[in-house]
Amino acid sequence: MLRTMRSPPRARTFHGPLTALLLAVPFVVTGCQQVKDLVGMGEKKEEVKEPVAEPEPEPEPEPAPVIAEPIAHEELPALPDEVKAVDDLFELVPAGEKGMYVIVRHPDTFLGYADQLFKTYDKPLAALAAAAADGPEQLQDASEAQTKFAEGKTKYDAAASKIKESGIDWSHGVVFSSSSGKSDDMVALFVAENADAFKELMVALDADDAEKLVCGEIPKTDRKGCADSKKALSSFKPGDAKKHREAAEQALPGVSLDDANIIAHVQDNSDGPIYLAMTTPPGTGIFHVSLPTKDKELAQAVAMFTPAKGKTLRYAQPGAGFMWANVDMEKVKAMPGVSDAPPPLDSVVKGASGEFFLGGSVDPAGFQFHAGITDASTFESLIEIAAMAKDGVPKEIPDVPGSKIAFGREELELAGANRKALHIAVSGIKEAAVLAQLTGLTLDGWYYATEDTASLALGFDQANLQKLAATEGDGLSEWTRITLPTSLVESYDKGEISMIAHVPVDSLQSPQLRDVVKAGLKNVEMVKPALVESVLDLMAPLSSSTMWMTESESNAVVHFAVRGIGNSSTEEGKEALAAMERVLAGGSRQDVYGALATKYPATAHTNAYKIRGGIESRGTLAGSGVGLAVGAAAIGVALAMKQVNESLAEDLGVTLEAPKPEKKAVEKKPVTKKPAEKKPTTKEPTTKEPEKEPETATRPTIKKKEETKEPEKEPEKKPEVKKFGLKVDAIGRKN
């Protein structure tokens, strides 16, 4: 029976309902809106009456803006205090480097995950089944989701009951060990009064060949053991705990073994040993895996990355997805095709520091790419070279009537200095106002260079570009740090990280995205909004997914973390889970999550509450990337099926006014009518013609129109956006 355990356990379960999310949603990868200043006005002192000779008191200065400081991540124990120390469990690992072992320190944790999973997904799956039942035949399998879920819950309840009543003391952990690295001599080690407790549990769970297990006392330990044969059980001998721990620590840089719930070792004869670990701090689950040391191709790929503190990480914002990496430029320069690169590419390679950042931006909204550089002049010269191609840039977008493309070099203040920038702007597309309304994006693209970065920025108008370029710092901001896994931040501070990919998904629960889905799919018969929303609801427990790589001199580890919206260990975590369940049951997103954001204004999840409640979250659809992709897909499906919602803008609260060609009309009237209007002036003595009076009366009327409407020409091209209280012109620029 134990032969089925020859592979170390996978990271299948996470805090709260995150178990199903890992199984169902394999993230491959790719801010919070900053807290607005609350400015109080100082009282105005009344003037002293004239008879009193005292000097007038100076007005009190206005209080400084109150900006909430982020609360440091609460240090919670990764495991309960009663859990057995990891060193005690390493003593149960057999001697030799060829052995295989899996240490599970607190199995009860995973039962808690499953309990929360079944509690959370009951209503979303019911909604999915109902929506799928009304859909096409291709979705009929999904309509059975609730039935299958109920069957799974029944089986789980029965299994959980048997596990809890097995007589095994799970707080002491369970260890599976093999001295040969094969399943034939695998031994399960546990604490129980009854030596057959593990065997009886396996039989109750209908495990294969469970009745053939041989169990008994393990000499010189407090453990009982079960194996497939008496020989395997009697030949088991514990090894050197200290050596096993040192080997695991060396192979897993960036992992605290004292905090790990699962630690495993697998011997691969071809690629070398592989170490795995899983940590389960409240609300987060992190899976760590060491990369094989004998795989040459993999080793070469890993060698291209090198740890760094990452100056461009200052551009990472809470609520925004991003990818960051630092490569070894010396190795890059030695690559074929790079070492002999022609000008000006050779200067570009020489001036690059090796650091790269690609991500979204929430405030201001947009997309950004930054490359670390050591020589700004080299990258500024590229602007002049690119500007020479101005004549080759089309003046309009093919098949888009009224569109215009402007391309050229500009000079503006960026990062505290006057700098050159390459700018491309698209105008004449009224639908861009919808884009600006929902996401804050404009149809602008920029390239510029500062002292330490060469940057591409998409979706920013000039004012927002200047705001982005003014971002200060030498790395992760305090607000961004608290939204990332604690172990990642600790490794970052130690200079162990060479790559990060972060994907926040709270925007999938935002009311803005739900509005886009409903409006975009309004006329689509095959894919109803209710079906898409029920699928998005399955993601409600998940707040973000993060992957990063740590390196030591001889080993590299890839870490994969899933962070939930709440946890069952803190008051805030419990309230967040309860809030999620109320929303899934039909509660108002704005009210429920808004109350959480008010009660917890500066914690690691404040930004998530604001996004889910639609509070100060206008830029999060673009910043997260995921939300924008889903919204664009909803509209794209309608376009592909030719079932477009013609009232899309109206349904989304965007007021678009077609530009009025008044300028041309006003210019033509004086030219065509002036000769005709001179006729009544020559016949002024003939005052008996009342029919001519309206013509003479039109002359001052025309002049008034010209005078009063000339200054209003520009505002008339900027339709007012009512939903967010913004004004957006026909190319989507904020005013």
Side-chain angles (χ1 to χ4, degrees), residues 20-21 48 87 93 110 151 161 172 186-187 205 223 294 344 357 424 438 467 505 591 606 618 695 724 727:
L21 295 173
V48 181
D87 290 336
V93 176
F110 303 100
E151 294 174 354
S161 177
H172 284 71
M186 179 73 74
V187 179
L205 296 177
R223 302 276 162 161
K294 294 182 180 180
F357 178 96
I424 183 169
L438 296 174
K467 184 176 180 180
V505 294
D591 294 343
T606 299
R618 181 166 169 266
E695 290 186 42
F724 285 84
K727 289 185 178 179

Side-chain angles (χ1 to χ4, degrees), residues 133-174:
D134 295 335
E137 295 182 1
Q138 296 91 325
L139 300 175
Q140 292 306 307
D141 289 343
S143 66
E144 301 176 6
Q146 189 178 19
T147 301
K148 295 178 180 179
F149 182 78
E151 294 174 354
K153 185 177 185 304
T154 300
K155 293 180 180 179
Y156 164 75
D157 289 340
S161 177
K162 293 173 183 177
I163 291 172
K164 294 175 182 178
E165 298 171 359
S166 65
I168 298 175
D169 187 346
W170 299 108
S171 67
H172 284 71
V174 179

Side-chain angles (χ1 to χ4, degrees), residues 305-327:
F305 295 89
T306 183
K309 280 295 184 71
K311 290 184 178 181
T312 58
L313 282 170
R314 65 177 179 267
Y315 294 104
Q317 301 176 12
F322 68 88
M323 296 181 65
W324 170 87
N326 190 62
V327 300

Side-chain angles (χ1 to χ4, degrees), residues 633-646:
I635 297 174
V637 168
L639 289 171
M641 295 186 174
K642 298 182 179 180
Q643 296 173 343
V644 178
N645 176 12
E646 298 296 340

